[in-house]
Amino acid sequence: MTERTPRPHTARVLVVGGGPVGLMLAAELRLGGADVLVVERLDTPTTESRASTLHARTMEILDARGLLGMLGTPPREPRGHFGGLPLSLDLPGPYGGQWKVPQTRTEELLGQWARSLGARVLRGRELRALDVREDGVEAEIAGPDGTRRVRAAYAVACDGEDSTVRRLTGVPFPGHDARRELLRADVAGVEIPDRRFERLPHGLAIAARRPDGVTRVMVHEFGAAPRPRTGEPPYEEIVRAWRRVTGEDIGGGTPLWRNAFGDACRQLTSYRHGRLLFAGDAAHRQPPIGGQALNLGLQDAVNLGWKLAATVRGWAPPGLLDTYHSERHPVGRRVLDNIETQAGLLFGGAESEPPRALLGELLRMEPVRAHLAGMISGLDIRYDVAAPDGPRPGAPPSPGPHPLLGARLPYAELTAGGGPATTFSLLRDGRGVLLRLAAGPGETAQAAAPWAGRVREVAAALRAPCPDLPDDTGTLLVRPDGHVVLALRRGEPDRGATRAALRRWFGEPDGPRTLTEVEA
């Protein structure tokens, strides 16, 4: 009797990796109407909470998707750091500072959301092979029911810094390996003073006691090279390093979690390889300094999700999917550069003291503080969304690009549809928004009607002043990821700009084309 081969799974999009980035992407794809299958190697969600910080831009995204109510009210810390030097992260908007949320809770929240939207998430499945073709992808997945094939139109690697997809495909991942290392542990039953980036003669020590009595300790010995590792560092190694640096004994504590991370920095040459894309730590590897890594990955997912959904559903305008790489690769490079700078300031010995002293002086200047806070929080990200064909024919001389063009839509309180709303609440359903503020140009009225399934048109008025929204703003076209791709000043002639922007970002209004069977 011959053994039956399990039937293959099919999906429009296969997401490899069911951590926070993969789950965020799955939910965004479902909002865009794309069928998605997530495969995750682990049988159950991890109980390790490596990342614990959500920055302002990520909080805005969660608000825009209506998830903050499920998250509750996490602790807010207005102060962050740059290379261990105190840095206020207060900026305009409701989410300045950093918000302390264990990664386990973030993953749980995103998993519930993705499943509620219809995403299929299969755990205990390990990727064994991946064939990327011009017309789609085919993967070999091992699981409790045997080995199955998965056929999809596209695949996205969200499988972390040690990405199996990268290994199987051999895509270029330039950068450098770790030169220095930080040891970390969550320890119960120790009584030591809190330390915030305390530089001692022999190394760097950090200790923070949580409300539940567990203390996270982190230690780096100046000049120590990273060790080759096949697993987590033994607690005894962390105890010895902590004693050499601080003189304290934490050997009597109970380690709940141990980890070592180096300062390796790498970034894919391209985030897209035909039908295969990469997001999160699979696309860029960096030490988790300043809590930026998780936030960077979640924002990758939100940028990619609607574009890939539009592509598999058949309405994406030409080149839309390629803007994922052209927009997110420079953002990733900038984050890696600032983390590299911070690593030198954190882990350097006496040679790092002069630049630390200079930076400390600069941080007392408000423009410098605001610049670094905007960079770390993600609030200053601005994409190049200007029309490629230059100024519109017949347009009068412009006072210059609108300050919101390419930037994220700021938080503002509105009256819309006869009731209260916010700019973020307009994005709940994952569609774009054509926002017409009071006294905006009449030419845009009902301009988005032919794109109604993809763009929501809203007439609104401000309920309260918004310092980040210029007073003369008339019309804004906002993508599903919250970035502004058209901004007209009040009274500025439209001259077809609105419809041109709608076509550029949301395709032709005559309905989606049908994917071929192979593409689907």
Side-chain angles (χ1 to χ4, degrees), residues 193-262:
D194 280 1
R195 287 183 166 89
R196 185 175 176 84
F197 302 104
E198 185 172 345
R199 291 172 62 83
L200 298 165
H202 300 294
L204 172 73
I206 304 160
R209 188 177 179 88
R210 302 191 316 226
D212 62 2
V214 174
T215 299
R216 173 162 292 188
V217 298
M218 294 183 267
V219 61
H220 166 73
E221 293 186 76
F222 293 147
R227 298 186 181 185
R229 298 190 185 279
T230 57
E232 304 301 352
Y235 184 54
E236 292 75 15
E237 180 184 350
I238 299 172
V239 169
R240 290 193 299 269
W242 187 263
R243 183 184 298 116
R244 286 192 293 266
V245 171
T246 69
E248 298 169 354
D249 185 6
I250 58 173
T254 302
L256 307 179
W257 170 72
R258 294 163 288 120
N259 173 253
F261 76 79

Side-chain angles (χ1 to χ4, degrees), residues 243-464:
R243 183 184 298 116
R244 286 192 293 266
V245 171
T246 69
E248 298 169 354
D249 185 6
I250 58 173
T254 302
L256 307 179
W257 170 72
R258 294 163 288 120
N259 173 253
F261 76 79
D263 61 346
C265 276
R266 294 185 176 275
Q267 186 182 28
L268 288 179
T269 304
S270 176
Y271 286 9
R272 182 184 179 189
H273 294 260
R275 297 280 181 145
L276 172 64
L277 300 105
F278 292 80
D281 289 349
H284 38 76
R285 180 173 185 171
Q286 60 286 306
I289 294 174
Q292 296 180 86
L294 173 62
N295 292 270
L296 180 64
L298 292 175
Q299 292 163 34
D300 286 345
V302 174
N303 183 286
L304 174 59
W306 73 277
K307 297 173 181 177
L308 186 51
T311 301
V312 299
R313 292 196 65 204
W315 62 257
L320 179 65
L321 190 55
D322 287 326
T323 66
Y324 168 61
H325 168 81
S326 65
E327 291 179 352
R328 293 303 298 173
H329 192 276
V331 172
R333 182 69 262 162
R334 188 174 185 231
V335 170
L336 263 64
D337 287 346
N338 93 54
I339 287 178
E340 287 264 66
T341 301
Q342 293 193 66
L345 295 170
L346 271 174
F347 301 141
E351 75 281 0
S352 70
E353 291 304 329
R356 289 176 62 85
L358 175 59
L359 182 59
E361 292 180 19
L362 293 175
L363 287 176
R364 291 195 284 271
M365 302 176 184
E366 176 56 20
V368 175
R369 183 210 68 82
H371 176 81
L372 292 179
M375 179 172 60
I376 289 173
S377 67
L379 293 182
D380 73 345
I381 294 171
R382 183 185 299 272
Y383 300 133
D384 182 7
V385 298
D389 51 357
R392 300 184 301 280
S398 171
H402 193 284
L404 288 182
L405 189 64
R408 105 280 183 213
L409 180 67
Y411 177 87
E413 297 179 353
L414 307 172
T415 298
T422 69
T423 47
F424 295 165
S425 70
L426 300 181
L427 294 164
R428 293 278 155 83
D429 62 5
R431 286 185 292 171
V433 174
L434 183 62
L435 177 59
R436 296 188 290 108
L437 295 172
E443 295 93 331
T444 64
Q446 301 303 311
W451 288 267
R454 308 168 206 166
V455 179
R456 178 185 181 193
E457 189 163 359
V458 178
L462 288 174
R463 284 193 289 129

Side-chain angles (χ1 to χ4, degrees), residues 8 14 127 129-133 136-140 149-152 155:
L14 169 66
L127 179 69
L130 184 66
D131 182 18
V132 183
R133 305 186 298 262
V137 297
E138 186 164 321
E140 184 179 294
R149 309 292 291 182
V150 176
R151 296 173 184 155

Side-chain angles (χ1 to χ4, degrees), residues 54-61 89 91-92 94-99 295 299 376-379 408 424:
L54 297 180
H55 284 299
R57 179 57 191 145
T58 301
M59 292 292 286
E60 290 184 350
I61 289 169
L89 296 175
L91 291 167
Y95 305 117
Q98 54 183 357
W99 301 77
N295 292 270
Q299 292 163 34
I376 289 173
S377 67
L379 293 182
R408 105 280 183 213
F424 295 165

